[in-house]
Short mmCIF file of all heavy atoms in Angstrom, two decimals:
data_model
loop_
_atom_site.label_atom_id
_atom_site.label_comp_id
_atom_site.label_asym_id
_atom_site.label_seq_id
_atom_site.Cartn_x
_atom_site.Cartn_y
_atom_site.Cartn_z
N VAL A 69 29.34 4.22 8.88
CA VAL A 69 28.82 2.86 8.67
C VAL A 69 27.99 2.83 7.37
O VAL A 69 28.05 1.86 6.61
CB VAL A 69 27.92 2.45 9.86
CG1 VAL A 69 27.17 1.15 9.57
CG2 VAL A 69 28.72 2.34 11.13
N PHE A 70 27.26 3.91 7.13
CA PHE A 70 26.36 3.91 5.97
C PHE A 70 27.09 4.15 4.65
O PHE A 70 26.64 3.70 3.60
CB PHE A 70 25.18 4.86 6.20
CG PHE A 70 24.25 4.27 7.22
CD1 PHE A 70 24.26 4.73 8.52
CD2 PHE A 70 23.44 3.20 6.89
CE1 PHE A 70 23.44 4.14 9.48
CE2 PHE A 70 22.62 2.60 7.83
CZ PHE A 70 22.62 3.08 9.13
N TYR A 71 28.23 4.86 4.70
CA TYR A 71 29.05 4.93 3.47
C TYR A 71 29.48 3.52 3.08
O TYR A 71 29.43 3.14 1.92
CB TYR A 71 30.31 5.79 3.72
CG TYR A 71 30.04 7.29 3.66
CD1 TYR A 71 29.95 8.05 4.82
CD2 TYR A 71 29.89 7.93 2.44
CE1 TYR A 71 29.70 9.41 4.77
CE2 TYR A 71 29.64 9.30 2.38
CZ TYR A 71 29.55 10.03 3.55
OH TYR A 71 29.30 11.38 3.49
N LYS A 72 29.87 2.73 4.08
CA LYS A 72 30.32 1.35 3.79
C LYS A 72 29.13 0.50 3.35
O LYS A 72 29.23 -0.29 2.41
CB LYS A 72 30.99 0.73 5.02
CG LYS A 72 32.28 1.43 5.40
CD LYS A 72 33.06 0.64 6.45
CE LYS A 72 34.19 1.48 7.00
NZ LYS A 72 34.00 1.93 8.38
N TYR A 73 28.02 0.65 4.06
CA TYR A 73 26.82 -0.15 3.74
C TYR A 73 26.38 0.11 2.30
O TYR A 73 26.03 -0.83 1.57
CB TYR A 73 25.73 0.23 4.74
CG TYR A 73 24.36 -0.35 4.47
CD1 TYR A 73 24.11 -1.72 4.61
CD2 TYR A 73 23.30 0.49 4.11
CE1 TYR A 73 22.84 -2.23 4.38
CE2 TYR A 73 22.04 -0.02 3.88
CZ TYR A 73 21.81 -1.38 4.01
OH TYR A 73 20.55 -1.89 3.79
N LYS A 74 26.43 1.37 1.88
CA LYS A 74 26.02 1.71 0.50
C LYS A 74 26.95 0.98 -0.50
O LYS A 74 26.48 0.40 -1.49
CB LYS A 74 26.08 3.22 0.28
CG LYS A 74 25.76 3.63 -1.14
CD LYS A 74 25.74 5.14 -1.29
CE LYS A 74 25.41 5.54 -2.72
NZ LYS A 74 26.56 5.45 -3.63
N ALA A 75 28.24 0.99 -0.21
CA ALA A 75 29.19 0.32 -1.10
C ALA A 75 28.90 -1.19 -1.14
O ALA A 75 29.03 -1.84 -2.18
CB ALA A 75 30.62 0.58 -0.65
N LEU A 76 28.48 -1.74 0.00
CA LEU A 76 28.18 -3.18 0.05
C LEU A 76 26.90 -3.51 -0.72
O LEU A 76 26.81 -4.55 -1.39
CB LEU A 76 28.05 -3.65 1.51
CG LEU A 76 29.32 -3.51 2.36
CD1 LEU A 76 29.05 -3.91 3.80
CD2 LEU A 76 30.46 -4.35 1.78
N LEU A 77 25.92 -2.61 -0.65
CA LEU A 77 24.69 -2.82 -1.45
C LEU A 77 25.06 -2.87 -2.93
O LEU A 77 24.56 -3.71 -3.69
CB LEU A 77 23.70 -1.68 -1.23
CG LEU A 77 22.92 -1.62 0.08
CD1 LEU A 77 22.15 -0.30 0.18
CD2 LEU A 77 21.94 -2.79 0.22
N GLU A 78 25.96 -1.96 -3.33
CA GLU A 78 26.36 -1.91 -4.75
C GLU A 78 27.21 -3.14 -5.11
O GLU A 78 27.04 -3.73 -6.18
CB GLU A 78 27.12 -0.61 -5.02
CG GLU A 78 26.15 0.57 -5.04
CD GLU A 78 26.80 1.93 -4.78
OE1 GLU A 78 28.00 1.99 -4.44
OE2 GLU A 78 26.09 2.93 -4.91
N ARG A 79 28.07 -3.54 -4.20
CA ARG A 79 28.90 -4.73 -4.46
C ARG A 79 28.04 -5.98 -4.66
O ARG A 79 28.26 -6.78 -5.56
CB ARG A 79 29.85 -4.96 -3.26
CG ARG A 79 30.79 -6.14 -3.42
CD ARG A 79 31.40 -6.55 -2.10
NE ARG A 79 30.43 -7.18 -1.19
CZ ARG A 79 30.68 -7.49 0.08
NH1 ARG A 79 31.85 -7.22 0.61
NH2 ARG A 79 29.73 -8.06 0.83
N ASP A 80 26.98 -6.10 -3.84
CA ASP A 80 26.17 -7.33 -3.83
C ASP A 80 24.87 -7.20 -4.62
O ASP A 80 23.94 -7.98 -4.42
CB ASP A 80 25.84 -7.72 -2.39
CG ASP A 80 27.07 -8.26 -1.66
OD1 ASP A 80 28.14 -8.37 -2.30
OD2 ASP A 80 26.96 -8.54 -0.46
N ILE A 81 24.80 -6.21 -5.51
CA ILE A 81 23.51 -5.93 -6.16
C ILE A 81 22.94 -7.16 -6.89
O ILE A 81 21.75 -7.44 -6.81
CB ILE A 81 23.58 -4.68 -7.08
CG1 ILE A 81 22.17 -4.35 -7.62
CG2 ILE A 81 24.59 -4.82 -8.19
CD1 ILE A 81 22.05 -2.99 -8.25
N ALA A 82 23.82 -7.92 -7.55
CA ALA A 82 23.31 -9.06 -8.33
C ALA A 82 22.70 -10.12 -7.39
O ALA A 82 21.61 -10.64 -7.65
CB ALA A 82 24.44 -9.67 -9.15
N GLN A 83 23.40 -10.38 -6.30
CA GLN A 83 22.94 -11.38 -5.33
C GLN A 83 21.65 -10.92 -4.62
O GLN A 83 20.72 -11.70 -4.44
CB GLN A 83 24.07 -11.56 -4.32
CG GLN A 83 23.98 -12.77 -3.45
CD GLN A 83 24.97 -12.65 -2.29
OE1 GLN A 83 25.87 -11.81 -2.29
NE2 GLN A 83 24.78 -13.52 -1.31
N LEU A 84 21.63 -9.63 -4.26
CA LEU A 84 20.44 -9.09 -3.59
C LEU A 84 19.24 -9.13 -4.53
O LEU A 84 18.13 -9.50 -4.13
CB LEU A 84 20.68 -7.65 -3.14
CG LEU A 84 21.61 -7.49 -1.92
CD1 LEU A 84 22.14 -6.06 -1.83
CD2 LEU A 84 20.87 -7.86 -0.64
N ALA A 85 19.47 -8.74 -5.79
CA ALA A 85 18.38 -8.73 -6.76
C ALA A 85 17.85 -10.16 -6.97
O ALA A 85 16.63 -10.37 -7.05
CB ALA A 85 18.84 -8.12 -8.08
N ALA A 86 18.76 -11.12 -7.02
CA ALA A 86 18.33 -12.51 -7.23
C ALA A 86 17.46 -12.98 -6.04
O ALA A 86 16.46 -13.68 -6.23
CB ALA A 86 19.55 -13.41 -7.38
N LEU A 87 17.85 -12.57 -4.85
CA LEU A 87 17.09 -12.95 -3.66
C LEU A 87 15.69 -12.31 -3.68
O LEU A 87 14.68 -12.96 -3.36
CB LEU A 87 17.87 -12.51 -2.41
CG LEU A 87 17.46 -13.10 -1.07
CD1 LEU A 87 17.52 -14.62 -1.09
CD2 LEU A 87 18.37 -12.56 0.04
N ILE A 88 15.64 -11.03 -4.06
CA ILE A 88 14.34 -10.34 -4.15
C ILE A 88 13.46 -11.07 -5.17
O ILE A 88 12.28 -11.31 -4.92
CB ILE A 88 14.53 -8.86 -4.57
CG1 ILE A 88 15.25 -8.07 -3.48
CG2 ILE A 88 13.19 -8.21 -4.90
CD1 ILE A 88 15.67 -6.66 -3.89
N THR A 89 14.06 -11.42 -6.33
CA THR A 89 13.28 -12.11 -7.36
C THR A 89 12.75 -13.44 -6.82
O THR A 89 11.60 -13.80 -7.05
CB THR A 89 14.14 -12.33 -8.62
OG1 THR A 89 14.52 -11.05 -9.11
CG2 THR A 89 13.39 -13.08 -9.70
N GLU A 90 13.59 -14.13 -6.08
CA GLU A 90 13.16 -15.44 -5.56
C GLU A 90 12.01 -15.32 -4.57
O GLU A 90 11.05 -16.08 -4.63
CB GLU A 90 14.33 -16.13 -4.84
CG GLU A 90 15.18 -16.96 -5.76
CD GLU A 90 16.25 -17.72 -4.99
OE1 GLU A 90 16.91 -17.09 -4.14
OE2 GLU A 90 16.40 -18.92 -5.25
N GLU A 91 12.10 -14.38 -3.64
CA GLU A 91 11.07 -14.38 -2.60
C GLU A 91 9.87 -13.49 -2.92
O GLU A 91 8.78 -13.69 -2.41
CB GLU A 91 11.64 -14.05 -1.21
CG GLU A 91 12.22 -12.69 -1.01
CD GLU A 91 12.67 -12.46 0.44
OE1 GLU A 91 12.40 -13.29 1.31
OE2 GLU A 91 13.28 -11.40 0.69
N ASN A 92 10.10 -12.47 -3.79
CA ASN A 92 9.00 -11.55 -4.11
C ASN A 92 8.43 -11.79 -5.50
O ASN A 92 7.26 -11.51 -5.76
CB ASN A 92 9.49 -10.11 -3.97
CG ASN A 92 8.53 -9.09 -4.53
OD1 ASN A 92 8.50 -8.87 -5.74
ND2 ASN A 92 7.70 -8.52 -3.68
N GLY A 93 9.27 -12.24 -6.43
CA GLY A 93 8.79 -12.54 -7.78
C GLY A 93 9.13 -11.49 -8.82
O GLY A 93 9.07 -11.76 -10.01
N LYS A 94 9.48 -10.26 -8.39
CA LYS A 94 9.68 -9.22 -9.42
C LYS A 94 10.86 -9.57 -10.32
O LYS A 94 11.76 -10.32 -9.91
CB LYS A 94 9.80 -7.83 -8.81
CG LYS A 94 10.99 -7.58 -7.92
CD LYS A 94 10.94 -6.16 -7.31
CE LYS A 94 9.83 -5.98 -6.32
NZ LYS A 94 9.89 -4.70 -5.59
N ILE A 95 10.83 -9.06 -11.54
CA ILE A 95 11.86 -9.42 -12.52
C ILE A 95 13.18 -8.73 -12.15
O ILE A 95 13.20 -7.79 -11.37
CB ILE A 95 11.42 -9.09 -13.98
CG1 ILE A 95 11.15 -7.59 -14.15
CG2 ILE A 95 10.21 -9.92 -14.37
CD1 ILE A 95 10.83 -7.18 -15.58
N ASP A 96 14.28 -9.23 -12.77
CA ASP A 96 15.61 -8.80 -12.35
C ASP A 96 15.81 -7.29 -12.43
O ASP A 96 16.36 -6.68 -11.50
CB ASP A 96 16.67 -9.54 -13.20
CG ASP A 96 18.08 -9.20 -12.74
OD1 ASP A 96 18.40 -9.51 -11.58
OD2 ASP A 96 18.83 -8.60 -13.52
N SER A 97 15.36 -6.66 -13.53
CA SER A 97 15.59 -5.21 -13.66
C SER A 97 14.86 -4.45 -12.56
O SER A 97 15.37 -3.46 -12.02
CB SER A 97 15.14 -4.72 -15.04
OG SER A 97 13.78 -5.07 -15.24
N GLU A 98 13.67 -4.92 -12.17
CA GLU A 98 12.93 -4.25 -11.09
C GLU A 98 13.62 -4.47 -9.74
O GLU A 98 13.69 -3.57 -8.91
CB GLU A 98 11.50 -4.81 -11.03
CG GLU A 98 10.67 -4.48 -12.25
CD GLU A 98 9.38 -5.29 -12.37
OE1 GLU A 98 9.21 -6.31 -11.65
OE2 GLU A 98 8.53 -4.91 -13.18
N ALA A 99 14.14 -5.69 -9.55
CA ALA A 99 14.82 -5.99 -8.29
C ALA A 99 16.10 -5.16 -8.17
O ALA A 99 16.42 -4.64 -7.10
CB ALA A 99 15.12 -7.49 -8.22
N ARG A 100 16.82 -5.02 -9.28
CA ARG A 100 18.04 -4.19 -9.26
C ARG A 100 17.70 -2.73 -8.96
O ARG A 100 18.40 -2.05 -8.21
CB ARG A 100 18.79 -4.29 -10.59
CG ARG A 100 19.58 -5.56 -10.71
CD ARG A 100 20.17 -5.72 -12.10
NE ARG A 100 20.85 -6.99 -12.19
CZ ARG A 100 22.15 -7.15 -11.96
NH1 ARG A 100 22.92 -6.13 -11.70
NH2 ARG A 100 22.70 -8.35 -12.03
N ALA A 101 16.61 -2.25 -9.57
CA ALA A 101 16.20 -0.86 -9.33
C ALA A 101 15.88 -0.65 -7.85
O ALA A 101 16.18 0.40 -7.27
CB ALA A 101 14.98 -0.52 -10.18
N GLU A 102 15.30 -1.69 -7.23
CA GLU A 102 14.98 -1.59 -5.80
C GLU A 102 16.25 -1.46 -4.96
O GLU A 102 16.32 -0.67 -4.02
CB GLU A 102 14.17 -2.85 -5.41
CG GLU A 102 13.90 -2.89 -3.96
CD GLU A 102 12.95 -3.99 -3.50
OE1 GLU A 102 12.30 -4.64 -4.33
OE2 GLU A 102 12.86 -4.17 -2.28
N VAL A 103 17.28 -2.23 -5.32
CA VAL A 103 18.55 -2.15 -4.57
C VAL A 103 19.20 -0.78 -4.80
O VAL A 103 19.72 -0.17 -3.86
CB VAL A 103 19.51 -3.29 -4.98
CG1 VAL A 103 20.81 -3.21 -4.18
CG2 VAL A 103 18.84 -4.66 -4.77
N LEU A 104 19.14 -0.29 -6.03
CA LEU A 104 19.73 1.03 -6.31
C LEU A 104 19.00 2.12 -5.53
O LEU A 104 19.60 3.08 -5.06
CB LEU A 104 19.68 1.33 -7.81
CG LEU A 104 20.64 0.50 -8.66
CD1 LEU A 104 20.43 0.78 -10.15
CD2 LEU A 104 22.10 0.76 -8.27
N LYS A 105 17.68 1.95 -5.39
CA LYS A 105 16.91 2.92 -4.61
C LYS A 105 17.34 2.85 -3.13
O LYS A 105 17.46 3.89 -2.46
CB LYS A 105 15.41 2.65 -4.76
CG LYS A 105 14.52 3.60 -4.01
CD LYS A 105 14.59 5.03 -4.52
CE LYS A 105 14.08 6.01 -3.49
NZ LYS A 105 14.12 7.41 -3.87
N ALA A 106 17.60 1.64 -2.64
CA ALA A 106 18.08 1.50 -1.26
C ALA A 106 19.42 2.23 -1.10
O ALA A 106 19.68 2.87 -0.08
CB ALA A 106 18.21 0.03 -0.88
N ALA A 107 20.26 2.15 -2.13
CA ALA A 107 21.55 2.85 -2.09
C ALA A 107 21.32 4.37 -2.07
O ALA A 107 22.01 5.10 -1.35
CB ALA A 107 22.42 2.44 -3.28
N GLU A 108 20.34 4.82 -2.84
CA GLU A 108 20.06 6.27 -2.86
C GLU A 108 19.55 6.74 -1.49
O GLU A 108 19.92 7.82 -1.01
CB GLU A 108 19.01 6.59 -3.94
CG GLU A 108 18.71 8.07 -4.02
CD GLU A 108 17.74 8.43 -5.15
OE1 GLU A 108 16.57 8.02 -5.08
OE2 GLU A 108 18.16 9.12 -6.08
N LEU A 109 18.72 5.92 -0.86
CA LEU A 109 18.21 6.26 0.48
C LEU A 109 19.37 6.33 1.48
O LEU A 109 19.41 7.20 2.35
CB LEU A 109 17.19 5.21 0.93
CG LEU A 109 15.87 5.23 0.14
CD1 LEU A 109 15.20 3.87 0.18
CD2 LEU A 109 14.93 6.29 0.69
N THR A 110 20.33 5.41 1.32
CA THR A 110 21.48 5.38 2.22
C THR A 110 22.35 6.62 1.99
O THR A 110 22.90 7.19 2.93
CB THR A 110 22.29 4.10 1.98
OG1 THR A 110 21.39 3.00 2.07
CG2 THR A 110 23.38 3.92 3.00
N GLU A 111 22.46 7.02 0.72
CA GLU A 111 23.23 8.21 0.37
C GLU A 111 22.64 9.43 1.11
O GLU A 111 23.37 10.27 1.62
CB GLU A 111 23.11 8.41 -1.14
CG GLU A 111 23.97 9.44 -1.76
CD GLU A 111 23.72 9.42 -3.27
OE1 GLU A 111 24.13 8.45 -3.93
OE2 GLU A 111 23.11 10.37 -3.77
N PHE A 112 21.32 9.48 1.18
CA PHE A 112 20.68 10.59 1.91
C PHE A 112 21.08 10.54 3.38
O PHE A 112 21.41 11.57 3.98
CB PHE A 112 19.15 10.53 1.75
CG PHE A 112 18.47 11.62 2.53
CD1 PHE A 112 18.45 12.93 2.04
CD2 PHE A 112 17.90 11.37 3.77
CE1 PHE A 112 17.86 13.96 2.78
CE2 PHE A 112 17.31 12.39 4.51
CZ PHE A 112 17.29 13.68 4.01
N ALA A 113 21.06 9.32 3.95
CA ALA A 113 21.42 9.20 5.38
C ALA A 113 22.85 9.70 5.60
O ALA A 113 23.15 10.30 6.64
CB ALA A 113 21.26 7.75 5.84
N CYS A 114 23.72 9.46 4.60
CA CYS A 114 25.11 9.92 4.74
C CYS A 114 25.20 11.44 4.76
O CYS A 114 26.17 12.01 5.26
CB CYS A 114 25.97 9.37 3.60
SG CYS A 114 26.19 7.58 3.70
N SER A 115 24.18 12.11 4.21
CA SER A 115 24.21 13.59 4.18
C SER A 115 23.59 14.20 5.44
O SER A 115 23.56 15.42 5.58
CB SER A 115 23.51 14.11 2.93
OG SER A 115 22.11 13.88 3.05
N LEU A 116 23.10 13.37 6.35
CA LEU A 116 22.39 13.91 7.52
C LEU A 116 23.25 14.82 8.40
O LEU A 116 22.73 15.80 8.95
CB LEU A 116 21.79 12.77 8.35
CG LEU A 116 20.50 12.19 7.73
CD1 LEU A 116 20.08 10.90 8.44
CD2 LEU A 116 19.36 13.19 7.77
N PRO A 117 24.56 14.57 8.55
CA PRO A 117 25.33 15.53 9.36
C PRO A 117 25.25 16.95 8.81
O PRO A 117 25.15 17.91 9.57
CB PRO A 117 26.77 14.99 9.26
CG PRO A 117 26.61 13.54 8.97
CD PRO A 117 25.37 13.43 8.13
N GLN A 118 25.23 17.06 7.49
CA GLN A 118 25.15 18.40 6.89
C GLN A 118 23.75 18.99 7.10
O GLN A 118 23.59 20.16 7.42
CB GLN A 118 25.44 18.33 5.38
CG GLN A 118 26.92 18.25 5.03
CD GLN A 118 27.58 16.98 5.52
OE1 GLN A 118 27.02 15.90 5.43
NE2 GLN A 118 28.78 17.09 6.04
N ILE A 119 22.74 18.14 6.90
CA ILE A 119 21.36 18.65 6.93
C ILE A 119 20.89 18.96 8.35
O ILE A 119 20.09 19.87 8.56
CB ILE A 119 20.41 17.61 6.28
CG1 ILE A 119 20.78 17.43 4.81
CG2 ILE A 119 18.96 18.05 6.38
CD1 ILE A 119 19.99 16.36 4.12
N THR A 120 21.39 18.20 9.33
CA THR A 120 20.84 18.36 10.68
C THR A 120 21.69 19.27 11.57
O THR A 120 21.46 19.34 12.78
CB THR A 120 20.68 16.99 11.39
OG1 THR A 120 21.96 16.35 11.39
CG2 THR A 120 19.67 16.13 10.70
N ALA A 121 22.65 19.96 10.97
CA ALA A 121 23.43 20.92 11.76
C ALA A 121 22.43 21.86 12.44
O ALA A 121 21.47 22.32 11.81
CB ALA A 121 24.38 21.69 10.86
N GLY A 122 22.66 22.15 13.73
CA GLY A 122 21.65 22.88 14.51
C GLY A 122 21.51 24.35 14.11
O GLY A 122 22.17 24.85 13.21
#
Side-chain angles (χ1 to χ4, degrees):
V69 171
F70 289 102
Y71 280 103
K72 295 191 191 109
Y73 172 68
K74 177 176 180 281
L76 297 176
L77 285 172
E78 286 158 353
R79 181 196 71 188
D80 288 357
I81 185 166
Q83 195 193 346
L84 287 162
L87 195 57
I88 293 171
T89 298
E90 272 185 313
E91 65 176 352
N92 169 279
K94 65 183 68 172
I95 60 175
D96 184 61
S97 56
E98 294 166 345
R100 282 173 183 266
E102 175 172 349
V103 181
L104 289 175
K105 181 66 199 179
E108 181 176 66
L109 291 154
T110 308
E111 189 178 290
F112 178 78
C114 292
S115 70
L116 283 170
Q118 280 65 41
I119 297 175
T120 56

